[in-house]
Amino acid sequence: MSEVRLRDAEPGDASVILQMLRDLAEAVGEAEASEARLDDIERDGFGPHRHFETIIAEAEGRAAGMMVIFPTYSTYKGRPCLFVNDLYVAPWARGLGVGRLLMARACRLALIRGCCRVELHVLQDNPARSFYEGIGMVASEERVYVARGQAMEDLAEQ
């Protein structure tokens, strides 16, 4: 079995991150929704006002997966949370434990940062749900509502 190594992404990884985000969008049937460009990743993942951070998993000398995370906050708990926005494992690297290692890193970072939980959203028909349940995560009773596009613009004008 290949050794998997995790590391914080560096600015030179922006194109690898973008490709894995596109691969993830394709894998979940949302390729058309993938609009991010390289300059978006460079600016928002590494710029002076960074909006997210990325952990890269490597095996066999190449990128095997990645996780994009950012902080959120629980006003009920009065503590920060860590949100896993994207978790991707390349098809060739599945079975190497990459996903488990990435989620373990997210939980370690959350504990170090004083977070009360690690959260992520998973589409109802995504087979990864069984993976998350298998590592001890539980589905929340909350529903996620989204305002985007014209609905967001219409609400903003009111």
Side-chain angles (χ1 to χ4, degrees):
M1 182 180 271
S2 293
E3 181 182 347
V4 178
R5 184 176 78 86
L6 302 183
R7 64 176 179 80
D8 294 336
E10 301 171 354
D13 294 315
S15 62
V16 172
I17 294 166
L18 181 60
Q19 185 58 56
M20 285 194 280
L21 289 171
R22 289 179 176 161
D23 292 345
L24 175 59
E26 177 79 28
V28 297
E30 295 195 359
E32 70 285 346
S34 181
E35 298 177 3
R37 298 180 325 257
L38 184 60
D39 61 318
D40 298 323
I41 302 302
E42 292 169 339
R43 177 192 63 240
D44 295 334
F46 304 100
H49 304 288
R50 184 166 95 165
H51 292 282
F52 66 88
E53 57 190 285
T54 306
I55 309 298
I56 303 279
E58 295 177 323
E60 300 177 8
R62 58 186 172 147
M66 59 117 200
M67 173 178 65
V68 174
I69 58 176
F70 52 82
T72 62
Y73 193 81
S74 170
T75 54
Y76 283 5
K77 299 286 186 185
R79 294 185 46 209
C81 308
L82 188 65
F83 190 80
V84 176
N85 196 64
D86 300 294
L87 181 86
Y88 177 73
V89 178
W92 65 267
R94 293 181 186 152
L96 298 178
V98 173
R100 180 179 285 275
L101 287 170
L102 287 167
M103 287 305 299
R105 172 68 63 90
C107 289
R108 259 191 314 283
L109 289 171
L111 289 171
I112 290 167
R113 296 173 185 183
C115 297
C116 61
R117 66 179 173 252
V118 172
E119 302 175 293
L120 55 88
H121 297 164
V122 182
L123 296 172
Q124 286 292 333
D125 60 348
N126 187 334
R129 290 176 57 168
S130 62
F131 163 74
Y132 295 116
E133 291 166 5
I135 62 170
M137 298 185 81
V138 294
S140 131
E141 295 298 319
E142 299 172 357
R143 284 196 161 256
V144 176
Y145 289 87
V146 178
R148 62 177 151 229
Q150 192 61 51
M152 183 172 69
E153 292 175 26
D154 290 347
L155 279 169
E157 291 179 16
Q158 293 180 18

